[in-house]
């Protein structure tokens, strides 16, 4: 069993082979692009039009810019990083970026919406090194995690950096986690006439 997250619910390690993870798709870049994404869900993943329920609650849009200063994995002194973002207690909310090859300072520049976000949720970002070898015994390697707390996820726009740290779920690999993640997160309130946000 994993440790409890900031929501008081037991966290589960990221499974990079989880087929429920959303397919990466680029969206409009920059703070203005993120706001355009919030105004029109057709411009960012997931591609479905917002349901009536989605229009009546707070929605969470993320622009994952990149990371810097991460630790290398392996003797080559580099990594093939990707990032998974979502609400720890609900795996169905998770989104996986594409993989950037041979870098410690990846730039993803991907915009997406967190499905089934509920006002009061915290967001967790987990960075992994993808093993591109064809050896079936090899596995992706943990590089670090960052969490946006409820306090940081106030309605409006967050634009800043988050430190990558050990989440306590990956043994000795977590002890060497380092680096910083650059993100923008926008919480869009319910549309006029909606029922308001949900409790977590």
């Amino acid at each position: 069993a994993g440790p409890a997250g900031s929501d008081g619910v037991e966290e589960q390690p990221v499974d990079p082979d989880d087929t429920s993870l959303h397919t990466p798709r680029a969206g409009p870049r920059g703070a203005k692009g993120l706001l355009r994404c919030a105004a029109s869900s057709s411009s960012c993943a997931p591609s479905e039009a917002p349901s009536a329920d989605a229009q009546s609650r707070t929605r969470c849009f993320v622009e994952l810019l990149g990371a810097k200063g991460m630790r290398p994995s392996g003797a080559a002194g580099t990594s093939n990083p990707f990032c998974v973002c979502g609400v720890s207690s609900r795996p169905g909310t998770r989104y996986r970026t594409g993989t950037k090859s041979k870098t410690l300072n990846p730039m993803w520049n991907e915009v997406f919406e967190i499905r089934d976000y509920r006002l009061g949720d915290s967001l967790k970002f987990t960075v992994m090194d993808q093993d591109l070898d064809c050896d079936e015994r090899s596995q992706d390697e943990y590089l670090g995690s960052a969490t946006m707390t409820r306090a940081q996820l106030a309605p409006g726009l967050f634009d800043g950096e988050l430190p990558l740290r050990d989440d306590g779920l990956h043994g000795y690999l977590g002890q060497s986690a380092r680096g910083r993640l650059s993100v923008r997160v926008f919480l869009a309130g319910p549309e006029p006439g909606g029922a308001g946000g949900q409790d977590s």
Side-chain angles (χ1 to χ4, degrees):
S6 58
D7 295 321
V9 180
E10 182 179 298
E11 294 190 44
Q12 298 296 326
V14 168
D15 178 4
D17 296 321
D18 184 356
T19 57
S20 69
L21 295 176
H22 306 167
T23 302
R25 187 156 69 88
R29 298 178 183 177
K32 291 183 179 179
L34 186 60
L35 299 180
R36 289 198 303 272
C37 176
S40 174
S41 65
S42 61
S43 63
C44 69
S47 59
E48 294 87 348
S51 64
D53 175 65
Q55 294 175 12
S56 68
R57 58 179 170 80
T58 299
R59 301 174 67 192
C60 180
F61 300 87
V62 178
E63 181 177 13
L64 190 48
L65 302 172
K68 61 184 178 182
M70 297 190 309
R71 73 165 181 85
S73 64
T78 188
S79 295
N80 303 306
F82 65 90
C83 185
V84 175
C85 172
V87 180
S88 297
S89 58
R90 298 200 302 281
T93 65
R94 292 174 179 170
Y95 175 94
R96 182 196 189 283
T97 71
T99 299
K100 299 300 179 182
S101 301
K102 299 180 180 179
T103 179
L104 300 180
N105 303 288
M107 296 298 294
W108 293 292
N109 290 315
E110 294 190 29
V111 177
F112 50 93
E113 180 180 0
I114 299 296
R115 293 181 178 178
D116 192 31
Y117 178 81
R118 303 170 188 171
L119 189 62
D121 283 339
S122 60
L123 286 183
K124 182 177 180 180
F125 301 82
T126 300
V127 182
M128 305 285 290
D129 167 60
Q130 184 172 355
D131 192 335
L132 300 179
D133 296 333
C134 296
D135 188 345
E136 294 182 355
R137 296 171 297 178
S138 58
Q139 296 182 342
D140 296 339
E141 188 171 312
Y142 176 74
L143 296 176
S145 299
T147 298
M148 287 193 68
T149 64
R150 298 179 182 184
Q152 290 172 302
L153 284 165
L157 178 66
F158 171 92
D159 186 348
E161 293 187 338
L162 303 170
L164 290 172
R165 295 173 174 154
D166 181 11
D167 66 359
L169 297 174
H170 298 84
Y172 73 94
L173 291 174
Q175 299 175 9
S176 56
R178 65 172 186 261
R180 302 187 72 82
L181 200 65
S182 296
V183 301
R184 294 189 180 108
V185 179
F186 180 70
L187 292 191
E191 296 186 2
Q198 297 179 2
D199 295 330
S200 60

